[in-house]
Amino acid sequence: MSGFEEHPLYNIMHPQSIAFWGASNNPMAMGSVQLGSLLAMGFPGPVYPIHPTEKEVLGLPAYARVSDVPGPVGLAVLVIPTKVVPEILEDCGKAGISAAIIVSAGFAEIGSDGRLLQQQIVEIARRYGIRFLGPNCIGAVNPRHKLNTTFYPYESGPGFIGMVSQSGSFVTQVFVHLKRFGLGFSQGLSVGNEAVTDITDCLEYLGNCPSTKVIGLYVEGIRRGREFARIAREVSRKKPIVAYYVGGSSAGKQAGLSHTGAMAGPDELYNGIFAQSGVIRAGSIEELFDFCWVLGSQPLPRGNRIAVFTNSGGPGAAAADAAERSGLRLASFSDDTKRALRDLLPHTASLANPVDMTFARNHQDYFDAMPRILLQDDGVDCVFMYFLMAHKRVIDSVIRAMMGDSADPEEVARQYVSAQAQVVSSLGREYGKPLVGGSFYDRSESFICELQDRGLPILPSPERAVRALGALYKYSVFRLGCSGP
Amino acid sequence: MSGFEEHPLYNIMHPQSIAFWGASNNPMAMGSVQLGSLLAMGFPGPVYPIHPTEKEVLGLPAYARVSDVPGPVGLAVLVIPTKVVPEILEDCGKAGISAAIIVSAGFAEIGSDGRLLQQQIVEIARRYGIRFLGPNCIGAVNPRHKLNTTFYPYESGPGFIGMVSQSGSFVTQVFVHLKRFGLGFSQGLSVGNEAVTDITDCLEYLGNCPSTKVIGLYVEGIRRGREFARIAREVSRKKPIVAYYVGGSSAGKQAGLSHTGAMAGPDELYNGIFAQSGVIRAGSIEELFDFCWVLGSQPLPRGNRIAVFTNSGGPGAAAADAAERSGLRLASFSDDTKRALRDLLPHTASLANPVDMTFARNHQDYFDAMPRILLQDDGVDCVFMYFLMAHKRVIDSVIRAMMGDSADPEEVARQYVSAQAQVVSSLGREYGKPLVGGSFYDRSESFICELQDRGLPILPSPERAVRALGALYKYSVFRLGCSGP
């Protein structure tokens, strides 16, 4: 496996300048929207729109041909009608451009005519030494490099999830999904028809990307199975890979074929490939990102014994049920743990696992002393914690009672919430064990927001949090060869 | 089955006045929080806090004993220490109160001492003819009656989901979850230890509630299996019932036992009970509400043939794969349908199912003509539709291009979005077929918000939308005895 900066995809994802075909002053045109995304992202290098007649496109000086461009071009982005792609790609080659993203569709995915045309552009690319993504792809995003050639504005910060997708939507339309959890991509690549760059190439590339902590794959069909397994096995020894594969059903296979022309195979075959190469399979796009979040942020558990910690019986039971169905089992606590819990819990609470604190007067215990007791227990490999919100009304009243009417409740609450978030979000790291939260509350609650921003995954339900811990355990079995005591 | 207003639970859920034990001027006390919720809800009848020493509680005149209260009391709410519950319940009986909610915990769920105490309060209730919810429950919510005795503020409007739960959290902490989709409860009941009122009673009651279109159950264990099956069978002939059962794994069983003391049974047993009585099983709390949303709002499909309509290949393939895994199959379109689609689709689009419109210039077709063509096809029983958002930037540009700089883009966009939402949200009703949307965008997009408010379910991912359609089909098999052509 070559180094990161030496990998052929590095140039596509880190251009110093971009020539852009297909943008115009018609804001409805797909190319205009995509160039708009790039400009909105604040790409710092020169961007050269290429347009046959316009002198200016979206406020930038436009050029009739790439040979007119006044400086070197690091990347060509093509959002143009199918039939002119070969000619323009030839122009790129002549201009010495070695990296391209071909967004244009109408190639192998539409049948035999398209396949011929695709073969033609592959030959042109070979002749000139051009490496490209696509055709029939939505582009790529590299937030740290301020690169976004896709159809959608990228509004999250740079993140740790590297995404490779046979669907452009699952790179771009999920921007809003990720943002809802404070997540972001390290890099995202839409591979389209994979004419010269396939999932396996991207996997190899992201395997060496230092800011990618986990790799998410959306798969309709893998073209080079043996090579994929070899590269995936190498990569997953270093960082987790999560795959969402939709071609295992006959309906999914049919849909994928007409989408990117990829050949799917039965679930058993793909499960075999994934299992031997340490790839964790997800069952939906939401689950793909849930798993990436937890696998990319948490240490590996040494076994499958989970402690479920709640102040509500229902979420505790739901988490316990989901744990068993995800390959985890409820930890049995040591006598020390039980003694320590008994000192802190009210008489109505449960000392067994799930630990149900019921109505707790002391929030400090819930967010500090109690999870600490569980993390300390040698019989506990990972902890799920349920996050319930205190009402603003209650918090305000408490603050007034403690501080008098002179206090600024907003500011006191902010400091209090922040201090609590700091404590609880560092516990997992402190004990070197996975700690994952679940809550029906979202980032509109400052506590949830701050916990997530401090690196503690808070998933939107107990079940989703626990299933992600189950996936993390599966990955740890591959990585550590451990199977629990 | 008795009529709605004659059902013994009607009085608990529709009191004219309330006596409240356990609230004080300590805002941290659980009772104070719960009384606060009731007041925040704007309960219109008189509320009488009962407190041994305070003359006023949360701004209301307080009374030392219920016998001091100046008017009739329709409902007693008890949030008091375990050991005084029998005495207070006796007071309630003597005062002629016939309905109560006992929030206090420490009864059957903690073991033998608690069971004795619970038996004691059951006997007191029998002696005085008091019907109560609980003990160890979080209370009840009836938004149309402005009743909320729970721990959490209810901020949604009145909805069509009737909820019965063995977890208080799954009635109350999900308020925010429901609000996120514009959903609400018709009524929600937390049954706690079910000393005299169990899930089956509540099911019978909601079966007759005219504003309840679907019933959601959170189940840790059913106490009267045969009676449950009988009532459920009667109710599900009229309206759908969705159950989330967590006691089927040994971990879930253990957790439930320590929570409400309910006896769980293996999945097979419960699957049998659910199947014979037409109850649809959900696999998580999110799925419970997803299913309730679609089953409570959509007409019954006459078969399992789904049309998947998208402008993105990935969501289409994901929906197709999820459809097959949920018992649906991709519809084959008639020649008329194919001809009609061909006239509207660009050459890069797929005419097969999933229909993938790819990049569409004409939004009007996507939201009107195209789904209409699919709904018209006799070979299509239900439609999933993917909702992609146009960027504000694009919309603004288009409006300026069409109307000139003098237009107020905000207002024009609002009207346009509203007109489009009106059209697409009425299509399913017009053709009498289920139409369900999926999108990664949420109610912060006015289009999504308006679609949802107009009764079109837009679920947060393609897979969740399609799985809910699969659940609707399962219910239709029970209701119509249909199994597709």
Side-chain angles (χ1 to χ4, degrees):
Chain A
M1 203 181 297
S2 59
F4 181 51
E5 299 189 12
E6 288 71 46
H7 195 282
L9 294 183
Y10 184 87
N11 287 337
I12 296 181
M13 300 302 285
H14 300 79
Q16 297 305 311
S17 58
I18 298 173
F20 205 106
W21 281 261
S24 68
N25 291 311
N26 168 13
M28 287 289 271
M30 192 163 164
S32 308
V33 177
Q34 294 191 242
L35 177 55
S37 296
L38 182 66
L39 302 180
M41 191 82 179
F43 180 74
V47 177
Y48 309 111
I50 313 292
H51 194 279
T53 53
E54 300 278 1
K55 295 293 161 232
E56 203 182 279
V57 166
L58 303 188
L60 296 171
Y63 303 87
R65 282 167 232 84
V66 68
S67 53
D68 301 338
V69 165
V73 173
L75 174 71
V77 180
L78 278 59
V79 195
I80 48 178
T82 319
K83 60 181 188 300
V84 298
V85 172
E87 179 193 332
I88 298 298
L89 199 61
E90 187 106 30
D91 285 354
C92 290
K94 286 176 186 154
I97 302 175
S98 65
I101 294 176
I102 304 178
V103 176
S104 314
F107 292 90
E109 82 281 9
I110 66 154
S112 57
D113 288 359
R115 269 194 294 275
L116 277 174
L117 207 60
Q118 185 164 315
Q119 193 47 42
Q120 203 183 330
I121 63 170
V122 168
E123 277 158 21
I124 296 168
R126 290 236 169 92
R127 202 175 331 132
Y128 291 99
I130 302 173
R131 184 64 178 247
F132 68 87
L133 276 180
N136 186 28
C137 79
I138 202 71
V141 61
N142 181 358
R144 280 183 186 78
H145 197 72
K146 306 239 177 259
L147 177 76
N148 177 15
T149 72
T150 80
F151 198 70
Y152 278 81
Y154 182 87
E155 292 170 354
S156 296
F160 57 77
I161 301 172
M163 179 78 185
V164 185
S165 175
Q166 285 177 327
S167 156
S169 301
F170 289 153
V171 175
T172 56
Q173 291 171 42
V174 297
F175 289 164
V176 287
H177 178 81
L178 295 176
K179 193 182 173 191
R180 208 167 293 140
F181 302 110
L183 295 172
F185 285 137
S186 54
Q187 302 193 33
L189 300 96
S190 152
V191 294
N193 289 2
E194 303 179 290
V196 299
T197 304
D198 67 6
I199 287 185
T200 304
D201 296 312
C202 297
L203 190 58
E204 183 182 49
Y205 165 68
L206 291 176
N208 285 318
C209 168
S211 53
T212 297
K213 302 299 174 205
V214 59
I215 299 169
L217 306 177
Y218 168 75
V219 180
E220 294 182 355
I222 291 170
R223 287 167 208 275
R224 297 181 291 150
R226 198 166 300 181
E227 196 61 9
F228 174 87
R230 187 182 69 78
I231 299 287
R233 206 161 40 238
E234 273 185 50
V235 171
S236 59
R237 281 200 199 106
K238 296 185 295 186
K239 60 181 82 168
I241 304 169
V242 184
Y244 174 36
Y245 173 58
V246 299
S249 63
S250 66
K253 183 177 169 181
Q254 176 184 328
L257 194 58
S258 71
H259 177 214
T260 48
M263 280 303 299
D267 277 330
E268 297 68 33
L269 175 68
Y270 275 75
N271 287 343
I273 295 175
F274 293 153
Q276 63 172 277
S277 47
V279 174
I280 304 302
R281 186 169 176 182
S284 68
I285 193 74
E286 283 184 332
E287 198 167 85
L288 177 76
F289 292 118
D290 287 356
F291 287 6
C292 281
W293 194 359
V294 170
L295 270 67
S297 66
Q298 297 300 303
L300 294 179
R302 296 185 51 207
N304 69 346
R305 300 163 305 174
I306 187 174
V308 172
F309 178 45
T310 77
N311 42 18
S312 291
D321 183 59
E324 187 168 314
R325 293 180 198 277
S326 310
L328 303 174
R329 60 199 173 91
L330 294 179
S332 300
F333 298 140
S334 72
D335 291 341
D336 282 353
T337 296
K338 285 181 197 158
R339 251 190 307 275
L341 290 175
R342 193 171 297 123
D343 290 344
L344 294 177
L345 286 172
H347 81 290
T348 52
S350 164
L351 286 179
N353 190 5
V355 181
D356 179 0
M357 197 162 178
T358 70
F359 180 74
R361 274 154 213 270
N362 192 337
H363 282 271
Q364 212 62 53
D365 287 347
Y366 190 82
F367 294 116
D368 190 357
M370 306 260 323
R372 213 175 262 284
I373 291 167
L374 299 174
L375 285 160
Q376 262 162 7
D377 191 319
D378 286 338
V380 170
D381 299 308
C382 62
V383 174
F384 163 74
M385 193 168 163
Y386 181 67
F387 284 86
L388 178 71
M389 289 302 105
H391 313 302
K392 203 185 164 310
R393 205 172 65 224
V394 179
I395 293 173
D396 286 355
S397 310
V398 174
I399 290 166
R400 284 196 199 282
M402 281 161 50
M403 324 263 300
D405 275 342
S406 65
D408 173 359
E410 298 284 334
E411 178 54 24
V412 177
R414 205 193 55 70
Q415 287 174 12
Y416 178 71
V417 158
S418 185
Q420 232 168 25
Q422 193 169 353
V423 170
V424 69
S425 64
S426 66
L427 286 177
R429 274 188 298 277
E430 190 176 331
Y431 291 91
K433 292 181 181 179
L435 171 66
V436 172
S439 183
F440 295 109
Y441 292 82
D442 63 17
R443 286 171 70 81
S444 61
E445 289 282 341
S446 61
F447 188 43
I448 299 291
C449 184
E450 189 151 351
L451 288 168
Q452 290 176 341
D453 289 346
R454 288 178 178 278
L456 181 63
I458 309 283
L459 279 79
S461 75
E463 297 94 334
R464 283 170 65 174
V466 166
R467 284 174 194 158
L469 278 168
L472 179 64
Y473 169 67
K474 278 193 198 80
Y475 177 61
S476 78
V477 172
F478 175 82
R479 267 291 285 277
L480 305 177
C482 83
S483 58
Chain B
M1 205 182 295
S2 59
F4 182 50
E5 298 191 11
E6 287 71 46
H7 195 283
L9 293 184
Y10 184 86
N11 287 338
I12 296 180
M13 299 303 284
H14 299 81
Q16 297 306 311
S17 58
I18 297 172
F20 205 107
W21 280 260
S24 68
N25 292 313
N26 168 13
M28 287 290 271
M30 191 164 166
S32 309
V33 178
Q34 295 193 241
L35 178 56
S37 296
L38 183 66
L39 301 180
M41 191 82 179
F43 179 74
V47 177
Y48 308 111
I50 314 292
H51 194 281
T53 52
E54 300 280 358
K55 294 294 160 228
E56 203 181 277
V57 167
L58 303 188
L60 296 170
Y63 303 86
R65 284 165 229 87
V66 67
S67 53
D68 300 337
V69 166
V73 172
L75 175 70
V77 180
L78 278 57
V79 195
I80 48 179
T82 320
K83 61 180 188 299
V84 297
V85 173
E87 178 193 331
I88 298 298
L89 199 61
E90 187 108 28
D91 285 353
C92 290
K94 286 177 185 154
I97 301 174
S98 64
I101 293 175
I102 304 178
V103 175
S104 315
F107 292 90
E109 83 280 9
I110 65 155
S112 57
D113 288 359
R115 270 195 294 275
L116 276 175
L117 208 59
Q118 186 165 313
Q119 193 46 42
Q120 202 183 332
I121 62 170
V122 169
E123 277 159 21
I124 295 168
R126 291 239 167 90
R127 201 176 329 133
Y128 291 99
I130 303 172
R131 184 66 179 247
F132 70 86
L133 277 179
N136 187 28
C137 78
I138 202 73
V141 60
N142 180 359
R144 282 183 185 76
H145 197 74
K146 305 236 177 262
L147 177 76
N148 178 15
T149 72
T150 80
F151 198 68
Y152 278 82
Y154 182 87
E155 290 170 356
S156 295
F160 58 77
I161 301 171
M163 179 78 185
V164 185
S165 175
Q166 285 178 326
S167 156
S169 301
F170 289 154
V171 176
T172 56
Q173 290 171 42
V174 296
F175 289 163
V176 287
H177 177 81
L178 295 176
K179 193 181 173 193
R180 210 167 289 141
F181 303 109
L183 295 171
F185 285 137
S186 54
Q187 302 193 32
L189 299 96
S190 152
V191 295
N193 289 2
E194 303 179 289
V196 299
T197 303
D198 67 7
I199 287 186
T200 304
D201 296 312
C202 297
L203 189 59
E204 182 182 48
Y205 166 69
L206 291 176
N208 285 317
C209 168
S211 52
T212 298
K213 303 299 176 203
V214 59
I215 299 169
L217 306 178
Y218 168 75
V219 180
E220 294 181 354
I222 291 170
R223 286 169 208 273
R224 297 181 292 150
R226 197 166 301 182
E227 195 62 7
F228 174 86
R230 187 181 71 75
I231 299 286
R233 205 158 43 235
E234 274 184 48
V235 170
S236 59
R237 282 200 198 105
K238 295 186 295 187
K239 60 181 81 169
I241 304 169
V242 183
Y244 174 36
Y245 173 57
V246 299
S249 63
S250 66
K253 183 176 170 180
Q254 175 184 329
L257 194 59
S258 71
H259 178 214
T260 49
M263 280 304 296
D267 277 331
E268 298 69 33
L269 175 69
Y270 274 75
N271 287 343
I273 295 175
F274 292 153
Q276 64 170 276
S277 46
V279 173
I280 306 302
R281 186 169 175 181
S284 68
I285 193 74
E286 283 183 333
E287 197 166 84
L288 177 76
F289 292 119
D290 287 356
F291 287 6
C292 282
W293 193 359
V294 170
L295 271 67
S297 67
Q298 297 300 303
L300 294 180
R302 296 184 53 206
N304 70 346
R305 298 163 308 174
I306 187 173
V308 172
F309 178 45
T310 76
N311 42 17
S312 290
D321 183 61
E324 186 168 315
R325 294 180 198 276
S326 311
L328 303 174
R329 61 199 174 92
L330 293 180
S332 300
F333 298 140
S334 72
D335 290 341
D336 283 354
T337 295
K338 284 181 197 157
R339 253 190 306 275
L341 289 176
R342 193 172 296 123
D343 290 344
L344 294 177
L345 286 172
H347 80 289
T348 51
S350 165
L351 288 177
N353 191 4
V355 181
D356 178 0
M357 197 162 177
T358 68
F359 180 71
R361 273 153 215 271
N362 192 336
H363 280 273
Q364 212 63 50
D365 288 347
Y366 191 82
F367 293 118
D368 190 357
M370 305 263 320
R372 212 176 264 284
I373 292 166
L374 299 174
L375 286 161
Q376 262 163 8
D377 191 319
D378 286 339
V380 170
D381 299 308
C382 62
V383 174
F384 163 73
M385 193 169 163
Y386 182 66
F387 285 86
L388 179 70
M389 288 304 105
H391 312 300
K392 203 184 163 312
R393 204 172 67 223
V394 179
I395 293 174
D396 286 356
S397 311
V398 174
I399 290 166
R400 285 195 197 283
M402 282 161 49
M403 323 265 299
D405 274 344
S406 64
D408 173 359
E410 297 282 334
E411 177 55 22
V412 177
R414 205 193 54 72
Q415 286 174 14
Y416 178 72
V417 158
S418 185
Q420 232 169 27
Q422 194 169 351
V423 169
V424 69
S425 65
S426 66
L427 287 177
R429 274 189 297 277
E430 191 178 329
Y431 291 91
K433 291 181 180 179
L435 171 67
V436 172
S439 183
F440 295 110
Y441 292 82
D442 63 16
R443 286 172 68 82
S444 61
E445 288 284 341
S446 62
F447 188 43
I448 299 291
C449 184
E450 191 152 349
L451 287 168
Q452 291 175 341
D453 288 346
R454 287 177 179 278
L456 181 64
I458 309 283
L459 279 79
S461 77
E463 299 93 334
R464 282 170 66 174
V466 165
R467 284 174 194 158
L469 277 169
L472 179 64
Y473 169 67
K474 278 194 197 83
Y475 177 61
S476 79
V477 172
F478 175 82
R479 267 291 284 277
L480 305 175
C482 84
S483 58

